Amino acid sequence: MLTRYAKSLILAAAVSAFAASPAFAAASVSSSLPYDIKFSVEECGRICYAGHPSSTVVYKDGLAVTPDTTFRLQYKDQQSGPSEPVAEDISVTISVVYENEDRSGSHKETIKKFDSGDLNFSDDFRLFSDNNVASLEERGRLFSDSLSGVEMTISGNSGSSGKKSLYLYVCDDADFDEYLSNNAGAYYDEQ
């Protein structure tokens, strides 16, 4: 009797483990890309505005950047990087997120998009073009505050499926230096 109960228990555990394994595999594939983004400024952690999708304002851990910051794509594991430095399957969207006039929600305005094939692993790319800087500054949306920020979304298409969003706090050089001195050695890794 005890042997039959033990066999049933082992069989039930094996079936449960087998049924759960595809769900874990799918979650790990979709939530992690094999790429990192490296910015031209030293990493400095900041709490960033991430929108107002429902009844509350959302804040996420992010990085401080300046309007002239550039970024570079790199493989997380340099040993398994591509033989050709072309990122055919990666797209990046940079959006300004800000609170609406009556503070009941948020707007997300795409200001720059890099489609598949626009990026590579050997060049630096600007977060903001000169036109972006001029337009955003004219409208008072260039620099971040408690109700505005920047979202950078990296998407893997085809073989590198997944999506990762980074949140950025845009500030001038003087504020960046102050944040850096107050936050020396901060590390950011958005899951």
Side-chain angles (χ1 to χ4, degrees):
M1 176 81 150
L2 185 59
T3 307
R4 192 169 19 173
Y5 177 73
K7 285 181 183 178
S8 297
L9 188 59
I10 291 170
L11 181 61
V15 169
S16 295
F18 178 76
S21 63
F24 287 121
S28 65
V29 169
S30 65
S31 65
S32 65
L33 290 169
Y35 317 109
D36 278 333
I37 298 287
K38 184 74 177 159
F39 294 97
S40 61
V41 294
E42 194 170 337
E43 288 189 5
C44 177
R46 290 291 292 168
I47 297 296
C48 300
Y49 175 82
H52 189 157
S54 57
S55 61
T56 59
V57 176
V58 177
Y59 295 94
K60 301 239 179 179
D61 288 335
L63 291 175
V65 296
T66 62
D68 59 343
T69 297
T70 61
F71 70 94
R72 178 182 289 242
L73 285 174
Q74 63 184 30
Y75 269 84
K76 286 182 181 177
D77 178 10
Q78 295 297 326
Q79 302 301 325
S80 66
S83 56
E84 293 290 324
V86 177
E88 292 289 335
D89 63 339
I90 305 168
S91 60
V92 173
T93 303
I94 300 170
S95 304
V96 175
V97 183
Y98 54 90
E99 196 76 1
N100 65 16
E101 294 297 322
D102 63 2
R103 296 190 175 187
S104 62
S106 61
H107 295 290
K108 186 185 225 178
E109 179 182 332
T110 299
I111 59 167
K112 198 166 193 181
K113 184 162 177 51
F114 297 91
D115 292 319
S116 298
D118 290 347
L119 300 169
N120 60 54
F121 292 94
S122 57
D123 293 321
D124 290 338
F125 299 92
R126 292 181 63 187
L127 286 173
F128 303 107
S129 69
D130 291 338
N131 288 339
N132 290 145
V133 170
S135 173
L136 291 170
E137 192 165 35
E138 183 179 302
R139 296 184 295 133
R141 302 219 184 277
L142 178 60
F143 296 110
S144 301
D145 58 26
S146 63
L147 294 176
S148 66
V150 171
E151 180 182 77
M152 182 178 189
T153 303
I154 303 97
S155 300
N157 311 313
S158 68
S160 301
S161 62
K163 186 183 275 192
K164 181 177 184 175
S165 291
L166 306 174
Y167 294 90
L168 306 174
Y169 188 95
V170 182
C171 55
D172 63 24
D173 291 333
D175 285 342
F176 182 83
D177 290 341
E178 181 182 335
Y179 300 146
L180 192 60
S181 66
N182 292 337
N183 193 12
Y187 176 77
Y188 173 75
D189 183 18
E190 174 68 30
Q191 297 295 324

